[in-house]
């Protein structure tokens, strides 16, 4: 009889089923009233007393194995059924995880949106430029230090070709190609031969602004920049214009906003002044208009150029420029925005 039980156990182990019906048949065959197990219990009466204990244990173990096998098979059939549902092509797909925009793109789009609202168009120019558009037509004298190899990436073969160091080059391209009135902004990447650190990078982003028409005044410039600062940072932000110098504007100024990292109290980012510079600006120098074929007697204009990383730093309190370029997903996925 023990031998018989072993054989049945083997049968049970080998049994497999694809449907609930087959499993039910299996259950009836082994556990049913007239099934194999109850047959074994009937035979048990005739087992010699000495073998009763071990035989009883074996039959009970066999019964348990049959129940376990049934449970396992039912589970298997159920999970196969749900796998079938997963491949049902008529069901809606699993939701896609949305990516997030790069913080520099978010701020650039926001700047574009703010200026488009007051009639600025968008223009672009090449990143690989020539000396004329980056320097000479912007009134840089030939010996100007910005042209130094330390600051500008030149191309070995041709000293006239360089990576633009400022989006101001697009001003020249626009003025050469279109008569006033001009009201445009030019977002783009710029390159400088700088050692990479928390505060400086060899690649960064600027947005250039240019407005040329009759009777454009410094008051127009000031009001436009104030509008921008309020839209970008809110009307509570403090701003100030400081006199400055650029070869292509006269007079020139720089605009500071209250440091958002310390609330204006002073910190290492704002060098304990409470202010951070966000842009350079000024009235377009008459020479620059003339270089691009615009009559400086008839037209005046203003220009400005701001650093997108700087604006992003103030908005998001990101102090290290390198984070913008490392593509670390843990950094990037923190930025969710409508822009
Ligand atoms: N191009 C300047 C820079 O890279 C910024 C700038 C200053 C742009 C004055 C302008 C401007 O258009 O009028 O630092």
């Amino acid at each position: 009889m023990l031998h018989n039980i072993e054989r049945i156990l083997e049968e049970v182990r080998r049994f497999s089923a694809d449907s609930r019906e087959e499993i039910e048949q299996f259950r009836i065959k082994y556990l049913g009233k007239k099934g194999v197990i109850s047959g074994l219990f009937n035979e048990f009466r005739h087992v010699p007393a000495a073998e009763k204990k071990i035989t009883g244990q074996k039959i009970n173990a066999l019964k348990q194995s049959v129940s376990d096998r049934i449970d396992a098979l039912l589970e298997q059939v159920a999970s196969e059924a749900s796998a079938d549902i997963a491949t049902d092509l008529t069901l809606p797909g699993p939701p896609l995880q949305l990516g997030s925009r790069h913080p520099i793109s978010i701020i650039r789009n926001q700047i574009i949106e703010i200026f488009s609202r007051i009639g600025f168009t968008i223009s672009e120019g090449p990143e690989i430029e020539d000396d004329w558009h980056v320097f000479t037509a912007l009134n840089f004298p030939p010996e100007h230090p910005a042209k130094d190899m330390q600051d500008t990436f030149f191309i070995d073969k041709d000293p006239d070709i360089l990576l633009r160091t400022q989006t101001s080059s697009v001003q020249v391209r626009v003025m050469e190609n279109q008569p006033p009135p001009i009201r445009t902004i030019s977002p783009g990447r710029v390159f400088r031969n700088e050692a990479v650190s928390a505060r400086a990078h060899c690649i960064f982003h600027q947005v250039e602004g240019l407005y040329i028409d009759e009777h454009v005044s410094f008051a127009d410039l000031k009001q436009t920049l104030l509008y921008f600062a309020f839209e970008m940072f809110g009307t509570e932000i403090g701003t100030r214009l400081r006199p400055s110098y650029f070869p292509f504007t006269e007079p020139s100024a720089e605009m500071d906003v209250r440091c958002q990292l310390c609330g204006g109290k002073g910190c290492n980012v704002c060098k304990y002044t409470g202010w951070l510079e966000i842009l350079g600006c000024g009235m377009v120098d008459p020479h620059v208009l003339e270089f691009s074929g615009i009559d400086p007697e008839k037209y005046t204009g203003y220009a400005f150029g701001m650093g997108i990383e700087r604006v992003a730093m103030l908005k998001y309190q990101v102090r290290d420029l390198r984070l913008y370029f490392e593509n670390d997903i843990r950094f990037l996925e923190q930025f969710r925005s409508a822009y």
Side-chain angles (χ1 to χ4, degrees):
M1 179 152 177
L2 286 177
H3 184 73
N4 198 19
I5 294 172
E6 281 305 318
R7 190 186 49 77
I8 298 169
L9 188 61
E10 195 51 40
E11 231 172 65
V12 169
R13 284 205 189 110
R14 291 223 187 113
F15 175 75
S16 71
D18 294 329
S19 67
R20 287 175 175 281
E21 293 79 61
E22 282 176 79
I23 298 168
E24 182 57 11
Q25 291 303 319
F26 174 77
R27 192 190 65 78
I28 293 167
K29 177 175 172 193
Y30 288 92
L31 301 180
K33 265 194 190 141
K34 291 177 188 160
V36 175
I37 306 273
S38 81
L40 287 173
F41 278 122
N42 284 337
E43 280 178 50
F44 184 68
R45 277 182 271 146
H46 313 297
V47 171
E51 286 175 27
K52 269 209 156 51
K53 192 177 172 201
I54 178 81
T55 311
Q57 281 172 354
K58 290 275 179 198
I59 299 174
N60 278 322
L62 174 65
K63 194 175 168 189
Q64 188 59 47
S65 299
V66 173
S67 305
D68 290 349
R69 188 81 195 114
I70 290 171
D71 289 347
L73 287 168
L74 283 173
E75 206 169 294
Q76 190 183 324
V77 168
S79 78
E80 275 166 11
S82 67
D84 273 353
I85 292 171
T87 54
D88 179 351
L89 297 180
T90 64
L91 286 175
L96 285 177
Q97 213 196 333
L98 283 182
S100 52
R101 256 187 234 287
H102 195 283
I104 297 301
S105 302
I106 295 175
I107 297 296
R108 186 201 50 207
N109 294 348
Q110 206 170 340
I111 295 171
I112 289 174
E113 202 265 332
I114 290 170
F115 283 105
S116 322
R117 250 188 275 153
I118 54 169
F120 280 77
T121 61
I122 296 156
S123 44
E124 287 186 322
E127 291 174 356
I128 303 171
E129 260 293 7
D130 51 28
D131 177 276
W132 171 257
H133 290 94
V134 180
F135 296 124
T136 305
L138 286 164
N139 209 28
F140 281 74
E143 71 286 358
H144 194 282
K147 290 185 169 189
D148 198 298
M149 301 278 280
Q150 307 301 311
D151 290 316
T152 304
F153 289 113
F154 289 94
I155 281 160
D156 273 350
K157 273 193 195 149
D158 185 348
D160 193 42
I161 306 292
L162 47 98
L163 295 181
R164 67 180 178 194
T165 56
Q166 50 181 2
T167 45
S168 307
S169 54
V170 189
Q171 286 184 30
V172 179
R173 290 200 173 264
V174 172
M175 288 190 288
E176 283 173 342
N177 288 305
Q178 128 187 20
I182 294 169
R183 189 157 41 179
T184 190
I185 55 167
S186 323
R189 242 187 323 192
V190 298
F191 308 84
R192 288 188 197 172
N193 195 359
E194 302 246 18
V196 174
S197 73
R199 302 177 61 89
H201 210 288
C202 54
I203 303 175
F204 55 101
H205 300 78
Q206 292 186 328
V207 177
E208 198 73 15
L210 179 69
Y211 180 28
I212 312 270
D213 203 345
E214 291 175 45
H215 314 300
V216 176
S217 74
F218 198 90
D220 297 319
L221 170 62
K222 209 176 151 187
Q223 197 56 38
T224 305
L225 295 180
L226 195 63
Y227 156 79
F228 166 74
F230 282 2
E231 291 298 309
M232 179 54 86
F233 300 110
T235 49
E236 298 302 307
I237 190 90
T239 64
R240 70 177 186 188
L241 277 182
R242 254 181 315 107
S244 185
Y245 172 79
F246 299 101
F248 38 95
T249 44
E250 183 60 35
S252 304
E254 281 172 301
M255 187 181 187
D256 297 340
V257 298
R258 275 274 174 216
C259 178
Q260 298 300 291
L261 293 112
C262 60
K265 284 194 208 81
C267 65
N268 60 339
V269 174
C270 61
K271 297 195 189 120
Y272 302 96
T273 62
W275 296 96
L276 269 180
E277 181 224 318
I278 58 161
L279 56 84
C281 60
M283 300 307 292
V284 180
D285 192 298
H287 283 114
V288 173
L289 295 175
E290 222 167 349
F291 279 138
S292 300
I294 290 176
D295 179 1
E297 297 296 327
K298 186 169 177 201
Y299 294 105
T300 52
Y302 66 68
F304 57 86
M306 68 179 80
I308 303 186
E309 278 80 0
R310 194 39 89 76
V311 176
M313 177 167 105
L314 285 158
K315 284 282 273 197
Y316 297 130
Q317 335 262 294
V318 174
R319 293 156 190 257
D320 193 328
L321 274 178
R322 290 168 292 197
L323 285 165
Y324 293 122
F325 299 96
E326 280 167 358
N327 275 341
D328 185 330
I329 203 98
R330 292 165 303 177
F331 171 71
L332 296 177
E333 68 189 0
Q334 298 175 66
F335 302 92
R336 306 256 170 210
S337 161
Y339 288 97

